[in-house]
Each structure stands twice: as structure tokens, then as C-alpha cells.
């Protein structure tokens, strides 16, 4: 779910240029919409919103009252980019156009729902949907990334021994600890799954491993303060990737998978973390 | 036996009908369209295209409370386009607002005085 066509609403309610403002207002009221794309000869020529209607005589043609300079996007645009533009320019409705034809609409409510789906409700940090999009973006832009995967040791045992409420508290604590240690300019954190956290980082692998060390140490300290066992293992993966721009998604999946396997192996052999460097 | 007769009187309507030629299109030489007028430039353009094709030009303004001005193109044979539009706008700015929809009739007279050898 990276492209606009995955979340846009379609088909779209529209109005034609020869309708009056009064007719447009009635139609919008009936639909409960705050705006409508305007179509002429099957092409998008404008958008009429409640504020256009407010300032226009009801007898006017839609053609004379619509906003003619329409910002639009294409179905294959990356949602991330489009949402950024919508937020920046306070756009409430963004038509989706393919070869001049209106094929969908992106509204603020769709975007809000989509953005909400990118957060983990327990920890309030992002979830894996976000991290996949972000990593895709970074790789497409030509950045080299490292992936760190943290995994709570014996989490099943913690849940059974101390209860699930305590288990949730551990997850929250870990999320807070990692959040405090990352640099928001180059490290991007998410709760990947149950007791797994992923950082996509612009750091080189060796620098990323330093971050891992500091997080592992902080969790140890937290465990001592809590008086209960809590520790994490980590896998770090990164390196040069040829032709990465062409298959960003596969690269991300591959990196996360390798980091996950490295974390499992680290746990198995009793290490705090393992590095996995691709060449 | 008593009977009550009610006299309601009679009711009549006078109807006057006045026939005259329809102005085609129903505007004169110039139509000034305010930004919040009851009709906009596109409506006027469609009207003149349908009723008097090729006879009017709708010129849209970027600034001011007049959004557009529809002018009979024939007038441009007498006075330069920019000169005429500027002059009209200069005159109407005093009494128009965004809701104005004003028609104007222009009467152009050219006076020529020549001196010829006799």
C-alpha cells in the first residue's frame, strides 16, 4: 500500500461546468460533501468547494465559480509524498488524474484514516506499514540504509510469569528506551510485531551497532530498576545494494528478514546482537 | 320566508401586452461583469456564442472588482482594443462593485475636418 490508487476513493461524484452554483450546492448537501471535482468533456477542469459557493451568486455557472487551478496527483504517486503536499498546502480534496481523466479522489478523511493506520496504539510509535514506506522512499532516493531489529528475550515467559499487562508495560518501556536513544534525523523506529522493534537507519552498519549497544545497556539498567528480568537481542543488517532502486520493496524485506534471523541467532548463541553485512 | 342575497360585485383584470423586438443578444455594446455578479464570464461567453457568434469578445480582468468585460468586437474597428477597455474600466470603477452587472451603450462619432485645395 504505497501508491495513491491503493487508498483513493473511486468512482468519484462530479459536477459539470454548465450547472449552476445553486445546483452544485444542492448536490453537495445531498451527498454531504464539501467539494466536487468539475468535469468538462470527461476532463477535469476545476474543483468547486463550499467556500467557492459561499462567495458566488447561486445563479452563476459552476464554470464561473470553480477554482480553476487544481492541484492533482496521479494514481501511481507515492502516498507519502502526496500526504506531505496535502498537509503542507492544507488541501482537503485532491483529485487523482490519469491522462487527463479523473479516476479517483483523495480526501482529508481518507488520509487521516491512513495515517492513523501507521501508528501502534500500545506504544504510540509507528508500525510496520510506516517503516516499509519510509524504507522504500529512502532506497528509491538512493540512500544506503541499515536495519536494526530488536527482539525481547523470553517475552512469552514474561507474559506467562508476570501476566500480559506487565508484558505490555515491558513493550512500552522498550519503545520509550529506544525512542530516547535514536536520532530522529537519521533513525526511524517502528513496532514491527508483537515484541519486535525495527529501526531503519541512515547510519552505516558499524555506527548502527553502537546504537544497539547503547539501547541494550539501557534495557539492562531498566531491568535492574524494575527488579524483574528484561533483556533484548538485536540483529543489524545493511550494506551496498546494487540495482536497489528498481526493487526497493524486495530490498527492504530482505534486510528486515536478515536482521530478524541475526537477532534470533544472537539469542541462540547468547550474544546481545549480531551484525550481518551484505556486499 | 326570508332570503339573504349577497352581492360580491364583479372582479376584472386588465391585461396590457406590449410587443417589441428582442435584443439579440440581450445586451448592448458592452457588458461589465462583477466578480460576484449573478452571471459570470463563462455564462456570458456561452450566451453570445450561441446567440451572436463572433460578435462579442469576453475579456477577463486579473484585478479589480470587474471580473470580465464583454465588448462588441465591431467597436475595435473604431477604437483600439486596449484603449477602449481601459477607458471603460476607468469610468465604471467609480460606481460599480463586485455584484455589478452593467450594460453600456457606446456612441462613437468621428469628426473629420479637412482642408483641401480649391
Amino acid at each position: 500500500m504505497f501508491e495513491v490508487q491503493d487508498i483513493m476513493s473511486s468512482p468519484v461524484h462530479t459536477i459539470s461546468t454548465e450547472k449552476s452554483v445553486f445546483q452544485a450546492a444542492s448536490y453537495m448537501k445531498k451527498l454531504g460533501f464539501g467539494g466536487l471535482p468539475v468535469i468538462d468533456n470527461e476532463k477535469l477542469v476545476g474543483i468547486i468547494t463550499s467556500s467557492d459557493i459561499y462567495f458566488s451568486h447561486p445563479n452563476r455557472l459552476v464554470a464561473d465559480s470553480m477554482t480553476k487551478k487544481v492541484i492533482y496527483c496521479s494514481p501511481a504517486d507515492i502516498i507519502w509524498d502526496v500526504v506531505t503536499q496535502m498537509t503542507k498546502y492544507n488541501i482537503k480534496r485532491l483529485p487523482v488524474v490519469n491522462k487527463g481523466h479523473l479516476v479517483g479522489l483523495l480526501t482529508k478523511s481518507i488520509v487521516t484514516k491512513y495515517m492513523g493506520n501507521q501508528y501502534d496504539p500500545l506504544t504510540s510509535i509507528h508500525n510496520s506499514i510506516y517503516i516499509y514506506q519510509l524504507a522504500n522512499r529512502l532506497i528509491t532516493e538512493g540512500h544506503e540504509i541499515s536495519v536494526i531489529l530488536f527482539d525481547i528475550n523470553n517475552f512469552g515467559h514474561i507474559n506467562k510469569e508476570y501476566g500480559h499487562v506487565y508484558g505490555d508495560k515491558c513493550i512500552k518501556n522498550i519503545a520509550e528506551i529506544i525512542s530516547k536513544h535514536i536520532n530522529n534525523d537519521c533513525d526511524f523506529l517502528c513496532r514491527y510485531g508483537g515484541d519486535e522493534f525495527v529501526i531503519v537507519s541512515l547510519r552505516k552498519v558499524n555506527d548502527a551497532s553502537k546504537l544497539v549497544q547503547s539501547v541494550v545497556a539501557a534495557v539492562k539498567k531498566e531491568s535492574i530498576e524494575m527488579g524483574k528480568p528484561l533483556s533484548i537481542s538485536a540483529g543489524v543488517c545493511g550494506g551496498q545494494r546494487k540495482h536497489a532502486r528498481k526493487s526497493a520493496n524486495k530490498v527492504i524485506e530482505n534486510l528486515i528478514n536478515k536482521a530478524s534471523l541475526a537477532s534470533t541467532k544472537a539469542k541462540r548463541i547468547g550474544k546481545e546482537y549480531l551484525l550481518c553485512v551484505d556486499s | 320566508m326570508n332570503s339573504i342575497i349577497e352581492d360580491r360585485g364583479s372582479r376584472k383584470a386588465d391585461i396590457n401586452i406590449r410587443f417589441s423586438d428582442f435584443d439579440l443578444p440581450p445586451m448592448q455594446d458592452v457588458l461589465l461583469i462583477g466578480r460576484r455578479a449573478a452571471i459570470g464570464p463563462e455564462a456570458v461567453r456561452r450566451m453570445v456564442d450561441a446567440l451572436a457568434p463572433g460578435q462579442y469578445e469576453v475579456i477577463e480582468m486579473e484585478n479589480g472588482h470587474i471580473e470580465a468585460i464583454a465588448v462588441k468586437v465591431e467597436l475595435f474597428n473604431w477604437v483600439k482594443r486596449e484603449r477602449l477597455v481601459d477607458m471603460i474600466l476607468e469610468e465604471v470603477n467609480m460606481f460599480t462593485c463586485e455584484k455589478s452587472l452593467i450594460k453600456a451603450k457606446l456612441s462613437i462619432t468621428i469628426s473629420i475636418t479637412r482642408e483641401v485645395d480649391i
Side-chain angles (χ1 to χ4, degrees), chain A residues 210-224:
Chain A
K210 286 177 190 164
L211 171 64
V212 171
Q213 287 167 17
S214 64
V215 171
V216 169
V219 173
K220 270 186 188 170
K221 194 180 165 195
E222 175 76 8
S223 173
I224 293 165

Side-chain angles (χ1 to χ4, degrees), chain A residues 17-18 55 57 59-60 63-64, chain B residues 34 36-38 40 42-43 46 67:
Chain A
T17 52
E18 74 272 10
F55 287 108
H57 192 286
N59 187 61
R60 274 204 164 209
D64 282 322
Chain B
R36 294 178 68 183
E42 187 56 34
R46 290 180 189 195
E67 186 177 4

Side-chain angles (χ1 to χ4, degrees), chain A residues 87-98:
Chain A
T87 309
K88 187 177 175 186
Y89 296 108
N90 194 25
I91 299 169
K92 291 174 185 162
R93 284 162 214 86
L94 190 69
V96 185
V97 176
N98 190 19

Side-chain angles (χ1 to χ4, degrees), chain A residues 17-269:
Chain A
T17 52
E18 74 272 10
K19 297 288 181 190
S20 70
V21 166
F22 179 77
Q23 287 173 310
S26 305
Y27 191 37
M28 281 161 62
K29 190 181 174 189
K30 186 182 162 192
L31 295 170
F33 290 175
L36 290 168
V38 183
I39 301 295
D40 192 24
N41 287 326
E42 296 182 1
K43 300 255 170 154
L44 178 74
V45 291
I47 190 162
I48 188 156
T49 64
S50 44
S51 81
D52 292 324
I53 282 171
Y54 181 77
F55 287 108
S56 295
H57 192 286
N59 187 61
R60 274 204 164 209
L61 290 183
V62 166
D64 282 322
S65 306
M66 66 188 186
T67 302
K68 288 172 188 167
K69 285 181 185 170
V70 187
I71 299 173
Y72 59 86
C73 64
S74 81
D77 281 345
I78 303 295
I79 298 169
W80 184 284
D81 298 338
V82 172
V83 170
T84 307
Q85 293 298 307
M86 285 180 79
T87 309
K88 187 177 175 186
Y89 296 108
N90 194 25
I91 299 169
K92 291 174 185 162
R93 284 162 214 86
L94 190 69
V96 185
V97 176
N98 190 19
K99 294 173 185 167
H101 293 273
L102 183 73
V103 293
L105 192 71
L106 214 51
T107 62
K108 207 167 185 178
S109 61
I110 293 173
V111 167
T112 306
K113 190 180 167 192
Y114 176 76
M115 295 305 281
N117 285 342
Q118 296 188 36
Y119 283 90
D120 171 51
L122 178 66
T123 58
S124 299
I125 63 172
H126 286 105
N127 60 23
S128 60
I129 297 172
Y130 160 84
I131 217 73
Y132 272 101
Q133 278 200 82
L134 178 112
N136 186 301
R137 173 70 186 267
L138 293 175
I139 290 170
T140 308
E141 285 178 352
H143 294 284
E144 189 184 326
I145 61 168
S146 296
V147 169
I148 305 167
L149 188 138
F150 291 105
D151 194 356
I152 301 177
N153 295 329
N154 302 315
F155 187 65
H157 176 74
I158 291 171
N159 273 336
K160 281 178 191 161
E161 186 73 20
Y162 303 101
H164 283 79
V165 173
Y166 180 77
D168 285 351
K169 195 183 167 197
C170 289
I171 287 171
K172 279 175 161 176
N173 284 353
I174 299 285
E176 275 174 30
I177 290 167
I178 301 173
S179 297
K180 280 178 191 166
H181 282 78
I182 60 172
N183 176 352
N184 289 326
D185 292 332
C186 65
D187 304 316
F188 309 95
L189 170 67
C190 83
R191 183 181 173 199
Y192 189 77
D195 62 334
E196 291 163 341
F197 297 86
V198 163
I199 297 174
V200 166
S201 178
L202 293 172
R203 299 169 193 246
K204 302 283 181 196
V205 175
N206 287 335
D207 195 20
S209 65
K210 286 177 190 164
L211 171 64
V212 171
Q213 287 167 17
S214 64
V215 171
V216 169
V219 173
K220 270 186 188 170
K221 194 180 165 195
E222 175 76 8
S223 173
I224 293 165
E225 283 171 11
M226 285 165 69
K228 286 175 184 160
L230 181 63
S231 64
I232 54 173
S233 299
V236 186
C237 190
Q240 294 287 346
R241 283 170 194 279
K242 288 173 187 172
H243 314 300
R245 290 182 204 194
K246 289 178 185 170
S247 56
N249 279 342
K250 284 185 180 173
V251 172
I252 302 152
E253 286 171 359
N254 183 255
L255 281 171
I256 292 176
N257 209 35
K258 285 190 171 175
S260 171
L261 292 172
S263 170
T264 308
K265 192 174 177 185
K267 206 177 286 193
R268 197 170 61 236
I269 63 174

